[in-house]
Amino acid sequence: MKEEIAKIKENSTTEIANCGDIKALSDLKVKYLGKKGELTLVLRGMGKLSPEERPVIGSLVNQVRDELDIIIQKKEKELKRQELLKKLETENIDVTEPSKKITLGSLHPITQIINEVEEIFLGMGYKIADGPEVEKAIYNFDKLNTPPDHPARDIQDTFYITDDIVLRSQTSPVQARVMEEQKPPIKIICPGAVYRSDSVDATHSPVFHQIEGLVIDKNISMTDLKGTLEMFAKKCLGENTKIRFRPHHFPFTEPSAEADVSCFVCGGKGCRVCKQEGWIELLGCGMVHPNVLKNCGINPEEYSGFAFGFGVERIAMAKFGIEDMRLLFENDARFLKQF
């Protein structure tokens, strides 16, 4: 895989150096650094590597990515300068004419967080899984060990289209579908929009975004879960971030926990962001319940696994110091341009 990365670096460097216009340069950036680019495909294939090789390859890919970013930026400046010189030589410009104001857009904070989290977990050998937002109740509830009398199935909490069709209330149905279709080992994250019958306020919305993770293999334990979440927290929120588990209950995991992270603003001393507690609630997690494994055709005597899930808006609010979730959905350019 190192040889493959070296070849990608050599080819991309040559192509960028020979690039003659901005459009071609943009296409090269997508070809090598895009979501389906050659470097990203290398990250997606890291699941086949040994645990010892993954951090080495992940670090090498990130290094090459940074180098190509710098090369592309330099080439872009060079091409723009050449274009400007050509226009100055061939065009007559009326410098007294008022110029048009050009406003550049940027990625929404939620999109930024999703992209960042995907990159972190791709670097850890995870794959990205997707599924329908209009979901069958059997996948949204039954296969996830949520019985018919569970409060989450009430019409006050879930949007029903028919008695058997709902707007998914979490991205967990994607996990159930993957477990049905794929034999272990399984290592996925499931980002996407979810829907719940909540009133709109500073911390709630009827539509929001989740990223859930699932690992199924032999001899998976709670220590694997905690190590994974610690690595994610440090990569996403800072190297000094600490994590703690508090006992909780979820129908689809046993044992279950709520995971908190040390406040990245005050370092755990207590501040306005963490409400003077030193900790910020981040996500729910636990070991996959044996009933869930059985419901999806996996033998719980042979395999075990862990799952976790968190709201993207919660990460965005914590990371960017946003106090009201509604700001993320109001599309006010004065607010969004800060990010």
Side-chain angles (χ1 to χ4, degrees), residues 27-259:
D27 292 341
L28 287 176
K29 185 173 182 179
V30 172
K31 176 181 177 182
Y32 290 105
L33 303 181
K35 278 196 171 183
K36 296 182 180 179
E38 295 188 15
L39 278 178
T40 303
L41 291 177
V42 173
L43 286 174
R44 292 179 187 271
M46 287 176 59
K48 301 176 182 178
L49 300 177
S50 65
E52 294 78 17
E53 292 177 308
R54 289 172 195 161
V56 176
I57 297 301
S59 176
L60 182 58
V61 169
N62 289 332
Q63 179 183 340
V64 172
R65 183 189 298 276
D66 293 341
E67 292 176 3
L68 290 182
D69 263 331
I70 294 173
I71 294 173
I72 289 172
Q73 290 174 16
K74 288 183 178 178
K75 186 65 176 181
E76 185 178 11
K77 289 181 180 179
E78 178 186 337
L79 292 173
K80 286 182 177 179
R81 185 170 61 253
Q82 291 175 0
E83 286 185 1
L84 177 60
L85 290 174
K86 186 177 179 180
K87 285 183 177 181
L88 290 174
E89 292 174 357
T90 59
E91 297 179 4
N92 293 321
I93 301 174
D94 183 359
V95 295
T96 64
E97 186 76 18
S99 62
K100 293 181 180 180
K101 183 178 181 181
I102 300 175
T103 303
L104 296 178
S106 61
L107 291 178
H108 192 279
I110 291 174
T111 305
Q112 292 182 37
I113 296 297
I114 291 175
N115 290 346
E116 181 180 351
V117 172
E118 286 182 349
E119 288 294 326
I120 291 172
F121 281 101
L122 283 172
M124 294 164 63
Y126 283 68
K127 295 182 179 180
I128 299 172
D130 194 13
E133 295 179 17
V134 180
E135 185 57 275
K136 294 179 180 179
I138 189 173
Y139 286 105
N140 200 70
F141 296 120
D142 298 279
K143 287 187 178 291
L144 301 174
N145 200 39
T146 306
D149 59 350
H150 194 279
R153 302 184 72 149
D154 289 347
I155 195 170
Q156 289 88 350
D157 291 316
T158 302
F159 290 109
Y160 281 85
I161 296 175
T162 69
D163 289 343
D164 301 318
I165 304 292
V166 301
L167 294 181
R168 67 182 183 188
S169 55
Q170 63 264 330
T171 57
S172 304
V174 181
Q175 300 181 22
R177 288 179 175 272
V178 171
M179 283 190 282
E180 272 194 345
E181 298 168 0
Q182 178 182 331
K183 292 183 179 180
I186 297 171
K187 199 172 183 182
I188 60 169
I189 58 169
C190 318
V194 298
Y195 307 85
R196 295 183 188 174
S197 186
D198 286 333
S199 299
V200 177
D201 60 28
T203 57
H204 296 85
S205 171
V207 55
F208 57 101
H209 299 78
Q210 273 191 341
I211 296 180
E212 297 195 10
L214 174 72
V215 173
I216 304 291
D217 206 344
K218 294 180 179 179
N219 302 316
I220 297 296
S221 68
M222 201 79 170
T223 56
D224 298 310
L225 169 60
K226 189 170 186 182
T228 298
L229 295 182
E230 281 184 341
M231 180 174 291
F232 161 69
K234 289 180 182 295
K235 290 286 185 182
C236 185
L237 301 174
E239 287 297 325
N240 295 322
T241 305
K242 298 178 182 178
I243 194 165
R244 72 175 183 183
F245 282 3
R246 290 180 289 107
H248 198 71
H249 169 73
F250 300 109
F252 32 82
T253 53
E254 180 60 38
S256 304
E258 290 276 10

